[in-house]
Structure formats: structure tokens, C-alpha cells
Amino acid sequence: MSRRLLPPLLTGVLILLAWLALHTALPPSQKFLLPTPGRILAAASERAPELAAATGWTAAAALGGFALAATVAVGFSLLLASSRLVRAALYPYVMVLQMVPIIIIAPILILWVGPGLPSVIIVTFLISFFPMVVNNTQGLLSADQNLVDLFRMGKATPWQQLWLLRVPAALPYFFAGLRIAAVLAPIGALTGDYLVGTTSGGDAGLGITAMICSTRSEIPALYATALIACALGWLFVGTVSAASWAALHRWHDSYNH
Amino acid sequence: MPSPVVQLTSVTKRFGDAPPVLDGIDLTAQPGEFISLIGPSGCGKSTLLRLLSGLTPPTAGTLDVLGAPPGETDRLAYVFQDPTLLPWLDVTGNVEALLRLRNLPAAERAARREQALRLVRLTDHARHYPRQLSGGQKMRVSLARALTLRPDLLLLDEPFGALDEMTRDHLNEELLAIRAEQNWTAFFVTHSVAEAVFLSTRILILAPHPGRIVADIAIDFPHPRTDELRRTDAYLRLVAEVSRQLRAVEPSHATP
Ligand SMILES: Nc1ncnc2c1ncn2[C@@H]1O[C@H](COP(=O)(O)OP(=O)(O)O)[C@@H](O)[C@H]1O
Ligand SMILES: [Mg+2]
């Protein structure tokens, strides 16, 4: 077995053992609070079609919000990096976007957009946009001053300076922001589903499913939705990490062998 | 008499309201000269190179660089103290980066790149990325990149300052060998008197506050110069003499 896989697998086994030990230690009347992995699996397979649909729905919402945030963040950071004046004028309002509590946005969204997928995508967008725009902007401004001088002396056009210097220099920052957003997007989609989702037309995501499980006190199924949400997060982060590796491993110090 | 490569007349440079960094510099460089600038830290050596390259304008006085105001020639190349490479490009990409900015056709780029790589003896490392190179190799890439411009004037700002002495000596010899093939005029900033004496046809000593030229020393050793030169009495005497003159302007030695 490879050296890279062994440590996380061992950790996983330890967590599983601790879980089982805790379950055993609980008094019989409390055991329902922490069902065994076996019972969680059973509950998941009982509700497999429902969970699969909910997972697909939440994954779509997360991906939609994430892609929208990534695209807008790239455009916006190019704007922010273009001049000090633009930054001074716009940065405070970018921050506001992150500071407005989703709990308060939610009812407004329901009024304006109505419950459903578009609102959930907007919540996901709001949650994952900020780290990306901040990182991208920082990255675009991070090019080494000597390299900027070199390009100036080489009579680089603003376009060349952007594409051949500032954008590549920003890539490590871009992927760092993307990775944070990849963690936040599934959480955003879940929260969004919970707050501004809808059950009509079988459009339930994992957030609504979790809510239903909890009102019915179906604890093993509740655990199943939580684990699926984690798996979704891992899938997002894993994909971004793979893309980051492909773009950076040859030259960036964060991938020193 | 060929027209000078560089002509400075009463050049003064100040930043904001601070006292001038350079004051009343008069300087003429003829084709083929290798001029070292040596002087205490902060006396304006880098500023002088930046003036020549057009990166910064003078406060007063006139500069003529290759027959035009600074920044208007495309036959000038600059080598920074740090290798200043693009870490996301391999050696090939870095060496031809400046040619790309000029939109030269691919065949022309390749020809110039291969020649420059051969001159700095890095042909075997063309596919390496900067982080896989030693300090000396990175500096060679930086030099090769400058040489692709086929410059008539080469400005080097402490290019070998961060290297160990062995590597520095080797690179000095290589630099002179390349110069013999290409015949540019050079301005070379250094803190090493030994390096300056080995490389130069002329050494200018600068004094600070304000920066000005206080000594102009011709170095007449014949070319080609090899490692042998470093062990001759004439060389060692000259190093000692330049060091003595430099100590006179170093702030820490000015007052006993
Ligand atoms: N862009 C700048 N703005 C203000 N002061 C500067 C700037 N560049 C250089 N200086 C000042 O000019 C002086 C000479 O700097 P420099 O030419 O880098 O010296 P050297 O290369 O001889 O060590 C220093 O005192 C430095 O602080
Ligand atoms: Mg300097």
C-alpha cells in the first residue's frame, strides 16, 4: 500500500473504532443518539432512491453556485486589480457581501426569487464568492516587482503584462481560493436548501431531507445525510486539488517533492 | 571616433524632497567598454542603471543611450541582482520570454534562444524549471534571456552578488568569453573589487550623499583574460589599490 494512503486510512479506522467504543459505552436508552455504521448503511439503502435524488439535487445546486461564484470572482478580481481607485471604491462592498447574514438574506430571497433551485444557488454563491475574489485579487497584485520592471523594460503591452505575468502569478492564489470555496459550496447548498429550498415537485435536496429526518426522529437516516454531505465536500475538494496539482506541481514550491 | 554608447550630462536624480541620490553626473561610455560601478550601499548605483534603462526619469540633466533618450532603444538589456525568472516557465520559456513580448516569429525566437543557451552552457537544461536549478544556473538563464535581445548595451546590477566565490569566478570568465563573441558595452554594478578588476576595462568609484563619481580607473589588462590573471602581481596590486580608494569613501572608514 502506498505511503500516502496509509495514514488517512489508519485515521479512519481509529475514528471508526472510537465510534463503536462510544456506541458500546452508551447506556441502552441513549444508544439511538449514535447509531452504528451498520444501521446508518441500512437506513441509507432503505431510502436509497430518495437520498440519491436529494444528493443529485444538492450537488447540482452546489456546482451551480460554485461555478457562478468562480466565474464572477475571476471577472471581479480583474476589475479590482486594475487600479487602486477601483479597489478603494469597491472592496468595502465586496466585504459587505460576506457580512450580511444568510439567515437574513433567506427571507428576502424567498420574496424576490421564490423558494427553489435559483435561490439555493444564490445562497451558495454568496457563501463561496468572498474567499475567491479576495484570493484572486491578492494573486493578481502579487507579481514580483522585478518581473514587473522586466516587462516594462520589454515594452510589454498591458494585455501581455496581464496574461504572461499577472495571471500566471495569481494561479496559486486562485487555486487556494478555489479550494476554500470547494469546501464552502456544498455547505452553502445544504444551508440554502434548508432555508430557501422547496419540497414541491420532488425538488428536495439534502438540507430538506435532513430536516424531514430530524422531525421524524429518523436518526440513522440523519447521519446518512450528514455523511453524504461530507462525501460531496470531499468530491469537490478532491477535484479542485487535482486541478491545482495539474496546473502547479511542475513549478510551484507548494508541490516540492 | 565612433559615437559614444552612453552620454550623461549633469544628470541629477532625486526622489521627492529628499536630498539628491545622484548629483551632477557627467559620464561618457565608448563602444566595447566594460565599466564597473562600485561604491557603498545606497550611493545610487542601481538608480544610475535604472536611469540608463529608462525605468526612471532624471530630475535634471540629459541622458543619451545608444543615440536616443533612455527607454527608446531596443538594443539594451538588463540583468537584475535576482535571477528574476518566471517560475511557471521552463528554461526555454524563460530565455525567450522577452522575444515573445516583441512578437518575434517562432523560428527567429528558437534560433536566438538556442544561441543564448549555448553561450551560457545550459542547452542540457532547457526543459528544467527554475526551482530545479542552482543559483548559478538561474543566473545563467537570466543572462541568456538578456543576450537574446542581441544588445549593444548590457546593464548588470550585482548579478553574481548572491553566488559563492567559485561559481562567481567561473561566471566571470564565461561573461568575458561571451563578450568576446558579442561585443556589447557593459555597465556592471558590484561590491567585489576583485570581480570589478577582473572584468572591467574601467572602474568608476561612487561616493554617497550625494552620489557622485569620485574615481575613474582604467584597467588595461589585455584580453582574453583567464584565471591566471587573478594570480599575477599586477592584478593583486590593482585590487589593493582600488580597495584602498574604495575604503576612503566607505562611510564606516571615512572617520577613524
Ligand atoms: N523609488 C525610490 N524612491 C525613493 N528612494 C529611492 C528609490 N529608489 C532608490 N531610492 C534611494 O536612493 C538611494 C540609492 O539607492 P540605490 O540606487 O538602490 O543604491 P545602490 O544600488 O548604490 O545600493 C537610496 O538611499 C535609496 O533609498
Ligand atoms: Mg543596488
Side-chain angles (χ1 to χ4, degrees), chain A residues 3 160 186 250:
Chain A
R3 277 205 173 162
Q160 285 176 323
R250 256 178 253 102

mmCIF file of all heavy atoms in Angstrom, chain A residues 3 160 186 250:
data_model
loop_
_atom_site.group_PDB
_atom_site.id
_atom_site.type_symbol
_atom_site.label_atom_id
_atom_site.label_comp_id
_atom_site.label_asym_id
_atom_site.label_seq_id
_atom_site.Cartn_x
_atom_site.Cartn_y
_atom_site.Cartn_z
ATOM 1 N N ARG A 3 2.409 4.908 0.658
ATOM 2 C CA ARG A 3 2.656 5.640 1.902
ATOM 3 C C ARG A 3 1.678 6.776 2.104
ATOM 4 O O ARG A 3 1.482 7.238 3.219
ATOM 5 C CB ARG A 3 4.061 6.231 1.844
ATOM 6 C CG ARG A 3 5.111 5.266 2.234
ATOM 7 C CD ARG A 3 6.286 6.061 2.720
ATOM 8 N NE ARG A 3 7.265 5.154 3.262
ATOM 9 C CZ ARG A 3 8.520 5.480 3.455
ATOM 10 N NH1 ARG A 3 8.907 6.693 3.148
ATOM 11 N NH2 ARG A 3 9.360 4.629 3.966
ATOM 12 N N GLN A 160 -0.239 41.899 -22.448
ATOM 13 C CA GLN A 160 0.834 40.923 -22.226
ATOM 14 C C GLN A 160 1.170 40.837 -20.738
ATOM 15 O O GLN A 160 1.413 39.767 -20.201
ATOM 16 C CB GLN A 160 2.083 41.332 -23.013
ATOM 17 C CG GLN A 160 1.966 41.075 -24.501
ATOM 18 C CD GLN A 160 3.183 41.590 -25.253
ATOM 19 O OE1 GLN A 160 3.743 42.636 -24.927
ATOM 20 N NE2 GLN A 160 3.607 40.852 -26.264
ATOM 21 N N PRO A 186 -20.682 23.075 -1.003
ATOM 22 C CA PRO A 186 -21.682 22.081 -0.578
ATOM 23 C C PRO A 186 -22.384 22.482 0.717
ATOM 24 O O PRO A 186 -23.596 22.275 0.862
ATOM 25 C CB PRO A 186 -20.858 20.803 -0.383
ATOM 26 C CG PRO A 186 -19.650 20.999 -1.235
ATOM 27 C CD PRO A 186 -19.349 22.470 -1.159
ATOM 28 N N ARG A 250 4.442 21.358 -11.426
ATOM 29 C CA ARG A 250 5.734 21.406 -12.106
ATOM 30 C C ARG A 250 6.593 22.558 -11.610
ATOM 31 O O ARG A 250 7.813 22.485 -11.622
ATOM 32 C CB ARG A 250 5.521 21.538 -13.617
ATOM 33 C CG ARG A 250 5.768 20.235 -14.346
ATOM 34 C CD ARG A 250 5.509 20.378 -15.834
ATOM 35 N NE ARG A 250 4.278 19.702 -16.196
ATOM 36 C CZ ARG A 250 3.110 20.329 -16.417
ATOM 37 N NH1 ARG A 250 3.035 21.626 -16.343
ATOM 38 N NH2 ARG A 250 2.045 19.648 -16.728
#
